[in-house]
Every structure is written in structure tokens, then in C-alpha cells.
Amino acid sequence: MKRRDLIKKLEAAGYRLDRIGDHAIYEKAGSRPVQVPNHREINENTAKAILKVAGIE
């Protein structure tokens, strides 16, 4: 999955960029922060795990 597509899904669910380091950290009030790797392409299993933690899909 492309990183930008994953970020669009997170932002549509109310997550906002908090900070960038080795990973981009997205936060939403009342939810766990999620880490998005700084790669153009993200492994499908990794993307699914990120979306699962975020409560999407």
C-alpha cells in the first residue's frame, strides 16, 4: 500500500500528524497513537496492522 493512501485513511478517521522522526506519529483524541514508517511503499500486512490499531477496517 502506498504511504499516502494509508495516511489519507488515517486522516479521514480523524488522526492528525503529531511528529516525525524515524516514523510519523499520528494521534487522535481518545485513541492510541499510530506509527507510520517513512517508506513510499508499506507492506500490506504492516498497513493492515496499523489500520487495526487505529480501529479502521
Side-chain angles (χ1 to χ4, degrees):
M1 172 180 280
K2 292 201 180 291
R3 182 175 189 269
R4 64 178 168 225
D5 294 335
L6 178 60
I7 290 172
K8 283 181 185 179
K9 287 185 179 189
L10 289 172
E11 288 178 342
Y15 280 84
R16 296 290 168 238
L17 179 64
D18 181 49
R19 62 188 179 275
I20 298 177
D22 291 336
H23 292 75
I25 309 297
Y26 283 81
E27 291 187 342
K28 177 181 175 182
S31 299
R32 281 181 57 186
V34 293
Q35 299 179 18
V36 179
N38 290 327
H39 302 289
R40 232 176 234 171
E41 282 286 329
I42 298 173
N43 181 303
E44 287 296 322
N45 293 330
T46 303
K48 285 180 184 179
I50 292 169
L51 292 172
K52 184 176 180 180
V53 168
I56 305 168
E57 295 183 13

